[in-house]
Amino acid sequence: MNTKEEVLAVLQDLTGEDLSDKMDENIFANGLMDSMASVQMLLNLQEKFEIDVPVSEFDREEWDTPSKIVAKVESLENE
């Protein structure tokens, strides 16, 4: 699996939806994720990708679409 597929799998676990054809859809505005789900998402991503994303530095606007989440994870993986 590549990063995009792994991120989509995490999001599908949390939302119950396949978001692969909704990469630019705002997952907060459409009600798929709330603040509790975003904390769980961060924990899942940190565990799966061995990246560090402090909740205190979480900016919802930077993580509000599947595309942005994939990009953030990829940038953190390369640090």
Side-chain angles (χ1 to χ4, degrees), residues 6-19 27-28 30-46 48 58 63 69:
E6 297 258 7
V7 168
L8 286 170
V10 168
L11 291 174
Q12 185 164 0
D13 286 346
L14 290 170
T15 65
E17 288 197 27
D18 176 7
L19 299 173
I27 56 178
F28 296 103
N30 67 13
L32 289 174
M33 297 266 289
D34 59 18
S35 57
M36 288 301 293
S38 62
V39 170
Q40 189 61 50
M41 175 188 70
L42 290 179
L43 294 173
N44 292 357
L45 293 173
Q46 289 180 126
K48 185 174 288 284
F58 178 78
W63 297 81
I69 296 167

Side-chain angles (χ1 to χ4, degrees), residues 4 8 11-12 17-27 30 32 65-67:
K4 177 181 173 182
L8 286 170
L11 291 174
Q12 185 164 0
E17 288 197 27
D18 176 7
L19 299 173
S20 59
D21 60 346
K22 301 175 184 172
M23 292 300 291
D24 296 313
E25 190 167 312
N26 187 312
I27 56 178
N30 67 13
L32 289 174
T65 69
S67 290

Side-chain angles (χ1 to χ4, degrees), residues 39-64:
V39 170
Q40 189 61 50
M41 175 188 70
L42 290 179
L43 294 173
N44 292 357
L45 293 173
Q46 289 180 126
E47 184 178 310
K48 185 174 288 284
F49 294 101
E50 298 178 358
I51 58 175
D52 187 33
V53 186
V55 175
S56 59
E57 294 178 20
F58 178 78
D59 180 354
R60 187 182 275 197
E61 287 182 9
E62 294 179 5
W63 297 81
D64 62 2

